[in-house]
Amino acid sequence: MKDLLVSLFLFLILLVGVLVSVAFFTLLERKVLSYIHIRKGPNKVGFIGLLQPFSDAIKLFSKEQSFSLMSNLSLFYISPIMNFLFSLFLWACIPFYTMNLMFHFSVLFMLCISSMGVYTVMLAGWSSNSNYAMLGSLRCVAQMISYEVSLVLILMSFLLLIYSFDFKDLTKFQENCWFLFLLFPLSFMIIVSLLAETNRSPFDFAEGESELVSGFNVEYSSGLFALIFLAEYSSILFMSMMSTLLFMGADMMNIFFYMKLMFILFLWIWVRGTMPRYRYDKLMNLAWKSYLPFSLNMLLLYFSVVMFMMTSIS
């Protein structure tokens, strides 16, 4: 019982850390984008704008919550909350060296939880009973499902090399050589797939302001909008950490791991500040006609290499 309480307490500390990280990641994004635009970012609230995320949170959660008259109220209310909870559950599979949850099928757990986020987005758009929200959610669901297929196939190449479903085993296999060098094209493909998976620019079609007003979250305001926002940024942080684990050395006891994590996070913002929005049909062509066949071929290649190695050893 004590072990369970300690693990729950540690998971709670982890979630608080994630939420504080999300707050300062939003500040980092606004600062970096402002310097890309050659202007000053948030710099008034607190020292160099450090308290800006907290003032934004207070503003959002203290605003009046408005509900559309025609919305399906229960689903409309529950969807953002579930979306936020799923994005936090993802962190349970990160192998921290404490009494936190560490299990042998952490990659499968991650795939299951991240695929559940599709339903919350779909229900958020549908329950709003707005054409714009519905269109945004349909786009988002098609995009997330398409890139989940290629993401799983790319991940299988990594998992074949470590012969395990545990994120922790990535540490052992990257002590001498990062997977970035062994699986160079797949490492770039996984970054693009994760950008599409988290609906980030240049693949932010679910939030196309020019044609969909704001996408699937158009009817949301106040705290529920803030929860959608927090879920998105929590997922970005998790995907960045997963990328660092997968192909940039996975030693979480080393300070350089977190520097590499910061670089990947900066890359997410850098891409948003420099890349124009992609065209939707090209996005789908990229997933089904380019990434899918290429990742399948690479999977067969690494499978044959692993089989050859195993037969030669035996």
Side-chain angles (χ1 to χ4, degrees), residues 29-97:
E29 182 176 40
R30 291 170 72 178
K31 283 279 190 185
V32 172
L33 287 175
S34 68
Y35 280 104
I36 288 171
H37 298 154
I38 321 175
R39 59 181 173 83
K40 290 284 183 187
N43 58 354
K44 294 286 187 289
V45 186
F47 177 66
I48 59 168
L50 283 176
L51 296 178
Q52 185 71 48
F54 302 105
S55 77
D56 288 342
I58 292 165
K59 182 195 79 171
L60 275 169
F61 282 103
S62 60
K63 281 177 75 174
E64 183 188 355
Q65 178 68 59
S66 61
F67 296 103
S68 174
L69 189 66
M70 301 299 289
S71 64
N72 191 329
L73 195 59
S74 55
L75 284 175
F76 183 81
Y77 206 90
I78 288 167
S79 297
I81 299 167
M82 291 309 296
N83 195 14
F84 179 60
L85 288 176
F86 286 143
S87 70
L88 292 182
F89 281 152
L90 280 172
W91 289 91
C93 64
I94 291 291
F96 289 107
Y97 294 96

Side-chain angles (χ1 to χ4, degrees), residues 276-294:
R277 188 175 284 154
Y278 216 48
R279 218 172 68 196
Y280 194 74
D281 59 321
K282 287 193 172 186
L283 175 87
M284 286 300 164
N285 281 342
L286 184 70
W288 295 105
K289 293 184 180 177
S290 300
Y291 277 22
L292 187 64
F294 186 80

Side-chain angles (χ1 to χ4, degrees), residues 92-94 101-107 109-110 165-168:
C93 64
I94 291 291
L101 302 168
M102 279 172 30
F103 39 92
H104 297 302
F105 296 104
S106 49
V107 177
F109 177 84
M110 181 273 295
F165 283 111
D166 196 347
F167 277 125
K168 192 165 80 268

Side-chain angles (χ1 to χ4, degrees), residues 24-309:
F24 284 108
F25 178 51
T26 58
L27 179 66
L28 174 72
E29 182 176 40
R30 291 170 72 178
K31 283 279 190 185
V32 172
L33 287 175
S34 68
Y35 280 104
I36 288 171
H37 298 154
I38 321 175
R39 59 181 173 83
K40 290 284 183 187
N43 58 354
K44 294 286 187 289
V45 186
F47 177 66
I48 59 168
L50 283 176
L51 296 178
Q52 185 71 48
F54 302 105
S55 77
D56 288 342
I58 292 165
K59 182 195 79 171
L60 275 169
F61 282 103
S62 60
K63 281 177 75 174
E64 183 188 355
Q65 178 68 59
S66 61
F67 296 103
S68 174
L69 189 66
M70 301 299 289
S71 64
N72 191 329
L73 195 59
S74 55
L75 284 175
F76 183 81
Y77 206 90
I78 288 167
S79 297
I81 299 167
M82 291 309 296
N83 195 14
F84 179 60
L85 288 176
F86 286 143
S87 70
L88 292 182
F89 281 152
L90 280 172
W91 289 91
C93 64
I94 291 291
F96 289 107
Y97 294 96
T98 59
M99 284 183 62
N100 199 3
L101 302 168
M102 279 172 30
F103 39 92
H104 297 302
F105 296 104
S106 49
V107 177
L108 290 179
F109 177 84
M110 181 273 295
L111 290 170
C112 291
I113 297 294
S114 63
S115 61
M116 290 292 284
V118 176
Y119 295 105
T120 57
V121 170
M122 182 176 71
L123 288 173
W126 177 79
S127 62
S128 300
N129 217 345
S130 158
N131 289 341
Y132 292 123
M134 187 64 189
L135 275 171
S137 69
L138 285 174
R139 278 187 180 191
C140 189
V141 167
Q143 180 178 329
M144 288 171 82
I145 289 171
S146 300
Y147 277 88
E148 260 173 25
V149 174
S150 66
L151 183 65
V152 168
L153 285 169
I154 295 165
L155 273 174
M156 280 173 73
S157 296
F158 286 89
L159 300 178
L160 263 176
L161 292 182
I162 66 170
Y163 220 67
S164 165
F165 283 111
D166 196 347
F167 277 125
K168 192 165 80 268
D169 290 334
L170 286 160
T171 313
K172 303 171 193 170
F173 285 86
Q174 294 187 80
E175 283 178 356
N176 299 317
C177 180
W178 294 355
F179 282 159
L180 178 65
F181 305 114
L182 290 175
L183 302 98
F184 188 71
L186 290 180
S187 301
F188 279 97
M189 284 169 63
I190 209 163
I191 287 284
V192 176
S193 296
L194 291 176
L195 278 170
E197 186 71 17
T198 49
N199 296 309
R200 289 291 289 180
S201 184
F203 307 122
D204 52 342
F205 296 103
E207 298 161 7
E209 293 88 1
S210 53
E211 68 271 15
L212 291 178
V213 188
S214 179
F216 71 94
N217 54 10
V218 67
E219 297 292 343
Y220 285 98
S221 59
S222 181
L224 295 180
F225 177 78
L227 287 179
I228 292 172
F229 190 74
L230 286 169
E232 183 186 335
Y233 278 83
S234 169
S235 298
I236 290 165
L237 277 169
F238 177 81
M239 295 305 180
S240 302
M241 183 164 262
M242 191 185 80
S243 305
T244 317
L245 278 170
L246 278 172
F247 56 79
M248 291 185 79
D251 186 9
M252 297 184 74
M253 303 298 283
N254 197 329
I255 189 68
F256 289 111
F257 176 85
Y258 299 97
M259 290 171 74
K260 288 178 280 191
L261 173 61
M262 280 300 298
F263 171 73
I264 297 282
L265 283 171
F266 176 75
L267 190 70
W268 243 255
I269 303 167
W270 191 11
V271 165
R272 181 180 175 182
T274 52
M275 297 283 184
R277 188 175 284 154
Y278 216 48
R279 218 172 68 196
Y280 194 74
D281 59 321
K282 287 193 172 186
L283 175 87
M284 286 300 164
N285 281 342
L286 184 70
W288 295 105
K289 293 184 180 177
S290 300
Y291 277 22
L292 187 64
F294 186 80
S295 53
L296 270 171
N297 282 318
M298 293 300 280
L299 177 62
L300 288 171
L301 170 68
Y302 289 116
F303 179 73
S304 57
V305 168
V306 168
M307 288 296 108
F308 176 74
M309 292 295 287

